[in-house]
Amino acid sequence: MGHPGLGWGWATSSWAGRANKKLPSCPVEFKAPPRRHPSGGGRRRPWLRFLRGEVFFLPGRLFFEPSSFSESSLAPPVLLLLTKKQRNNTIRTGKQASFRSKSKRKKKIMASMEGLIGLMNRIQRACTALGDHGGGDLPTLWESLPTIAVVGGQSSGKSSVLESIVGTDFLPRGSGIVTRRPLVLQLHQTDDGSQEYAEFLHMPKTRFTDFARVRQEIADETDRLTGKTKQISPVPIHLSIYSPKVVNLTLVDLPGLTKVAVEGQPESIVQDIENMVRSYVDKPNCIILAISPANQDIATSDAIKLAKEVDPTGERTFGVLTKLDLMDKGTNALDVLEGRAYRLQNPWVGIVNRSQADINRKVDMIAAREKEREYFESSPDYAHLASRMGSEHLAKLLSEHLESVIKARIPSITAVINKTIDELESELDTIGRAVAADPGAQLYTILDLCRAFDHVFKEHLDGGRSGGDRIYGVFDHKLPAAFKKLPFDRYLSVQNVKKVVSEADGYQPHLIAPEQGYRRLIGTGLTYFRGPAEATVDAVHVVLKDLVRKSIGETEQLRRFPTLQTAIATAANEALERFREDGRSTALRLVEMEATYPTVEFFRNRPQDLPAADASSKAGAKASAESPVPLDRYGDGHYRNIASNVSQYIRMVGDELLKTIPKAAVHCQVREAKRSLLNHFYVQIGKKEAGEFVHLLDEDPAMMERRQQCWKRLELYKSARDEIDSVAWSSNR
């Protein structure tokens, strides 16, 4: 139907069906669209509106016999061709337009409430089953879900309130701290007359119809995790109760707040319990059910004190006052119940629990509810509040409020779910899938991981990532600086040149130019370049090894395979050692080439002799200017001239080596590292037996655990998304 107050159909004139049974006259609004009948019959009619009429029924048809028309020119009754479902949903009575009876409307509301609260129940159970209890380094859905946390001190009547809401005895009782694990209590309303039963999440195929066994199982399951040492645990127990006596509701029963540790408990138990309770009530989507006994001053209530700290405005807190019947005679709790003593945004609710004598006599809970109702109705103090007192009213109030909170939170929960699914899928993509069992797939995985590493390594060299610039720094800074530090000044001193030339002449001194001395000075001098050449190759090797290490660490796919990381690092470093040897031999060969065959044109174009006179002497300078003076080929001036010539030649060769040594390093080391860093490793892999591949793909246990956790959490979030979508789809229908 198109509008809640309007029925839609095809209008045609007809008097058929007058013999059918008439229904009582009722106010009717109807509009017929100005279109032709699907069968092609009838003429196009304007929109009709009937203010009042009588209804007839025929199979597949609904008749209206109007007593008055908005358009007086149309008198015949109108036939609506509707489906059976549409016909049944089109009846309305009363002044307000509605296509459903009150009972159907109520069922829809209950179904909506059951759908929303049931949705949260299913997601909470999934959270517990998959290990999401809040906290930890994984995204948590548990903390995003609206919950009602039951908070109270020991002996505040917390257990009695919960049993009154459920209408059944099912909680363990005793002295000291009885509740030592959170109990997620999920109530499901069933049809009247159906048998009530309970189910635990940790025992999904077992139905408990005897609630004494439920009480025992709660105690046993608590001991399984905490032992009998009275320790506490944040891991919740999930209990679902199906009964016609309950409303759809979910509560989390938390350990009672205490001030003193009892025997057998650590001194930290007081703070541990408070921390656990705070982990629930601190969340902005947690509804706090603060239980306080009426026979104690509200100012000393542990529950109210904690609620005031985490919810100072009282917006999330419901106050429950128990043991009203145990107050001193002549006193009452009206100041609290009417919000004067401590104001909350939500109403206070008073509860009268069963007495210990009633519990010992096993007084029926339904009878206890009736007794509670009679107490408030007959009390001179609380009679005017009786309609909003009692455990039944509290359950309905909480159920309606929880539904409204869930409805308001669903958009934000959906946004969190979608965002977290993307994050988990991205992390799983990074971690990678589990290793395949097939040897061919394992070999493909190994080669694919090697290619991924090789890609990252090349990015470092080519500038896509940092590190390659360090090689250029070796050529541009370290090599020239090493050349400048070479001791040529000492080597080409007059004394050393004279010594070298004399030794080269032997027993026959040179006649004109000491050629053997020149060659020896040049050859020995150029050997000084060997050190910087080797140092350059070694420096490039160090950079390449460091880039291998960084590339292995930056290859996300490799992080899960420490054995393969080690194998790749070993193979890469062995290859770099071979490349270093090639680079060293090539660089040294360049130096030796220069020393073996000097460039003679350099010396042919330079003057070889200088005047023998002291250039610093004015007389000598004047004499040499006036007339030629015989040259002293064995004087200091002659050897200084030789040293100068050799120095300039070595400088020229050094400038050339500054260009060629980097070329040798790049050609033999960098180029080969880019081309064939893992070639030898690939050959070794090809020689391995199929069963050996799995050893290379041994995963880091921590990474395997992380993947498993992410898969479980992703499964949880996708399940939650599907649940929300299904409820939203059902609601839209």
Side-chain angles (χ1 to χ4, degrees):
M1 313 309 292
H3 187 279
L6 301 173
W8 297 91
W10 292 98
T12 59
S13 297
S14 172
W15 289 93
R18 275 187 172 277
N20 287 273
K21 181 180 179 181
K22 286 189 178 183
L23 297 178
S25 297
C26 59
V28 173
E29 283 186 83
F30 172 73
K31 284 187 179 180
R35 294 177 291 181
R36 293 189 180 276
H37 190 281
S39 64
R43 62 187 178 85
R44 197 173 184 83
R45 292 191 176 276
W47 290 48
L48 308 177
R49 185 181 182 191
F50 301 94
L51 303 180
R52 188 171 183 81
E54 293 183 341
V55 183
F56 298 82
F57 281 97
L58 276 179
R61 294 172 172 80
L62 176 64
F63 286 84
F64 290 88
E65 185 178 17
S67 59
S68 63
F69 291 87
S70 58
E71 298 185 20
S72 58
S73 61
L74 298 174
V78 177
L79 170 65
L80 282 75
L81 299 183
L82 302 173
T83 66
K84 184 177 180 181
K85 182 178 179 181
Q86 290 172 325
R87 184 187 72 222
N88 292 339
N89 288 340
T90 310
I91 304 172
R92 61 178 290 275
T93 59
K95 295 182 180 180
Q96 297 297 324
S98 173
F99 290 96
R100 292 180 175 87
S101 65
K102 289 184 178 180
S103 61
K104 289 186 176 181
R105 190 183 313 119
K106 181 179 179 182
K107 287 183 179 179
K108 181 182 179 183
I109 293 172
M110 292 303 296
S112 173
M113 184 180 300
E114 182 180 3
L116 290 172
I117 296 177
L119 166 68
M120 292 299 113
N121 289 347
R122 292 191 294 275
I123 296 177
Q124 283 179 337
R125 286 198 294 270
C127 286
T128 298
L130 296 175
D132 180 5
H133 313 123
D137 58 341
L138 281 169
T140 173
L141 182 57
W142 178 271
E143 295 183 354
S144 301
L145 302 178
T147 55
I148 298 177
V150 184
V151 181
Q154 289 187 25
S155 302
S156 63
K158 187 162 57 72
S159 296
S160 296
V161 170
L162 291 175
E163 290 182 333
S164 296
I165 291 175
V166 175
T168 304
D169 290 320
F170 69 98
L171 290 173
R173 294 180 179 274
S175 60
I177 301 174
V178 179
T179 304
R180 292 183 284 125
R181 288 175 60 182
L183 176 66
V184 180
L185 178 61
Q186 299 177 344
L187 307 181
H188 306 264
Q189 188 179 43
T190 57
D191 295 334
D192 292 339
S194 60
Q195 184 182 25
E196 61 181 359
Y197 63 92
E199 288 182 349
F200 287 96
L201 181 63
H202 63 274
M203 301 176 67
K205 296 182 180 180
T206 305
R207 286 190 176 187
F208 293 81
T209 55
D210 181 0
F211 281 82
R213 289 183 56 207
V214 172
R215 183 186 307 113
Q216 186 60 46
E217 181 58 31
I218 293 174
D220 292 344
E221 178 62 16
T222 300
D223 290 341
R224 286 188 194 106
L225 194 63
T226 63
K228 298 184 180 294
T229 58
K230 298 186 179 181
Q231 297 283 352
I232 63 171
S233 169
V235 179
I237 299 172
H238 274 259
L239 173 63
S240 296
I241 295 179
Y242 300 81
S243 170
K245 298 183 295 186
V246 302
V247 296
N248 294 302
L249 183 62
T250 300
L251 302 163
V252 182
D253 183 24
L254 297 171
L257 297 166
T258 184
K259 294 182 173 63
V260 180
V262 300
E263 185 179 355
Q265 291 178 334
E267 291 298 326
S268 63
I269 192 71
V270 176
Q271 190 62 45
D272 292 342
I273 292 176
E274 182 175 340
N275 292 340
M276 182 193 297
V277 174
R278 281 184 181 274
S279 70
Y280 280 83
V281 300
D282 273 339
K283 297 183 298 182
N285 55 348
C286 177
I287 303 163
I288 305 169
L289 189 62
I291 311 292
S292 303
N295 56 354
Q296 295 180 11
D297 188 353
I298 194 68
T300 63
S301 168
D302 295 325
I304 291 298
K305 178 183 176 183
L306 182 60
K308 189 175 182 180
E309 291 179 15
V310 299
D311 180 30
T313 63
E315 183 180 0
R316 298 188 286 118
T317 304
F318 282 82
V320 176
L321 211 57
T322 62
K323 304 183 181 181
L324 289 168
D325 55 330
L326 300 182
M327 296 183 68
D328 294 337
K329 290 185 178 181
T331 62
N332 59 53
L334 287 177
D335 284 347
V336 176
L337 294 175
E338 293 179 347
R340 292 188 294 272
Y342 184 75
R343 180 172 295 278
L344 298 172
Q345 299 291 330
N346 302 296
W348 281 84
V349 179
I351 299 291
V352 175
N353 299 327
R354 289 181 302 167
S355 65
Q356 188 60 48
D358 291 339
I359 295 173
N360 294 338
R361 292 198 307 268
K362 298 183 179 179
V363 173
D364 181 72
M365 194 63 69
I366 302 302
R369 284 183 178 178
E370 185 62 30
K371 183 178 178 181
E372 179 187 45
R373 189 181 305 111
E374 291 175 358
Y375 172 84
F376 284 112
E377 290 175 352
S378 62
S379 170
D381 294 323
Y382 309 120
H384 65 292
L385 300 175
S387 62
R388 45 194 182 91
M389 295 290 116
S391 55
E392 286 186 283
H393 173 74
L394 175 63
K396 293 177 182 178
L397 181 67
L398 292 176
S399 181
E400 292 172 0
H401 185 75
L402 179 60
E403 184 204 8
S404 66
V405 171
I406 293 172
K407 190 179 296 182
R409 294 281 183 180
I410 278 181
S412 61
I413 293 174
T414 303
V416 169
I417 287 174
N418 290 332
K419 178 184 177 184
T420 308
I421 285 176
D422 292 340
E423 293 174 352
L424 288 171
E425 288 180 338
S426 176
E427 183 171 357
L428 283 171
D429 287 341
T430 301
I431 294 175
R433 297 184 179 183
V435 177
D438 179 64
Q442 292 172 356
L443 176 60
Y444 177 84
T445 300
I446 292 171
L447 297 179
D448 193 50
L449 292 169
C450 291
R451 285 191 292 268
F453 156 76
D454 197 51
H455 176 73
V456 174
F457 180 72
K458 289 176 180 177
E459 281 188 340
H460 278 293
L461 292 176
D462 295 335
R465 299 173 186 249
S466 63
D469 56 314
R470 291 165 55 194
I471 295 176
Y472 177 73
V474 172
F475 302 151
D476 195 50
H477 301 293
K478 292 186 177 180
L479 182 59
F483 276 14
K484 290 180 180 179
K485 293 179 180 179
L486 294 176
F488 289 124
D489 289 343
R490 185 175 68 251
Y491 175 70
L492 294 176
S493 64
V494 173
Q495 293 80 2
N496 192 59
V497 170
K498 186 175 182 179
K499 177 176 177 293
V500 172
V501 170
S502 300
E503 290 175 353
D505 284 345
Y507 70 93
Q508 292 186 5
H510 60 276
L511 301 176
I512 302 176
E515 183 168 332
Q516 293 301 321
Y518 266 106
R519 291 185 180 276
R520 183 169 294 187
L521 285 169
I522 292 172
T524 305
L526 292 180
T527 58
Y528 282 104
F529 288 122
R530 291 172 60 93
E534 289 184 298
T536 299
V537 172
D538 290 342
V540 171
H541 177 76
V542 169
V543 173
L544 291 175
K545 281 188 66 175
D546 187 57
L547 293 183
V548 165
R549 180 187 59 79
K550 290 180 64 177
S551 299
I552 289 175
E554 292 174 9
T555 304
E556 299 288 344
Q557 302 93 317
L558 268 177
R559 291 185 178 179
R560 45 190 287 221
F561 302 114
T563 304
L564 184 58
Q565 287 183 37
T566 303
I568 290 177
T570 301
N573 289 333
E574 288 175 354
L576 291 179
E577 286 291 342
R578 294 194 300 272
F579 302 154
R580 176 166 70 169
E581 291 304 318
D582 291 343
R584 179 186 287 119
S585 62
T586 301
L588 294 179
R589 191 176 293 115
L590 290 173
V591 176
E592 291 171 0
M593 288 165 56
E594 294 291 347
T596 303
Y597 191 76
T599 305
V600 295
E601 286 79 7
F602 175 86
F603 294 97
R604 288 175 180 173
N605 297 328
R606 297 189 64 81
Q608 299 299 316
D609 297 318
L610 289 174
D614 187 354
S616 62
S617 172
K618 293 182 180 180
K622 183 177 179 181
S624 61
E626 291 177 353
S627 60
V629 178
L631 298 178
D632 183 2
R633 297 187 182 276
Y634 299 97
D636 289 348
H638 179 58
Y639 290 114
R640 276 195 292 270
N641 184 40
I642 293 173
S644 176
N645 290 336
V646 172
S647 175
Q648 293 181 51
Y649 180 77
I650 289 177
R651 189 179 300 112
M652 181 196 73
V653 173
D655 292 341
E656 188 66 24
L657 290 175
L658 283 175
K659 302 173 185 177
T660 56
I661 290 175
K663 291 180 180 181
V666 169
H667 180 80
C668 297
Q669 294 176 271
V670 179
R671 173 175 170 270
E672 287 303 310
K674 290 176 64 177
R675 291 178 58 186
S676 58
L677 183 63
L678 295 179
N679 281 6
H680 186 64
F681 180 68
Y682 294 146
V683 173
Q684 291 177 325
I685 289 292
K687 295 178 181 179
K688 288 184 178 293
E689 297 293 333
E692 298 181 63
F693 297 148
V694 68
H695 299 300
L696 289 174
L697 295 176
D698 284 342
E699 288 193 81
D700 182 356
M703 190 66 69
M704 295 173 65
E705 178 67 21
R706 181 69 179 183
R707 184 197 298 113
Q708 187 67 18
Q709 291 175 347
C710 286
W711 272 116
K712 285 184 177 181
R713 200 57 57 91
L714 181 61
E715 180 184 350
L716 166 64
Y717 275 82
K718 286 185 175 180
S719 173
R721 182 176 63 184
D722 293 342
E723 292 281 4
I724 291 175
D725 288 345
S726 66
V727 171
W729 185 83
S730 299
S731 301
N732 290 336
R733 290 186 64 190

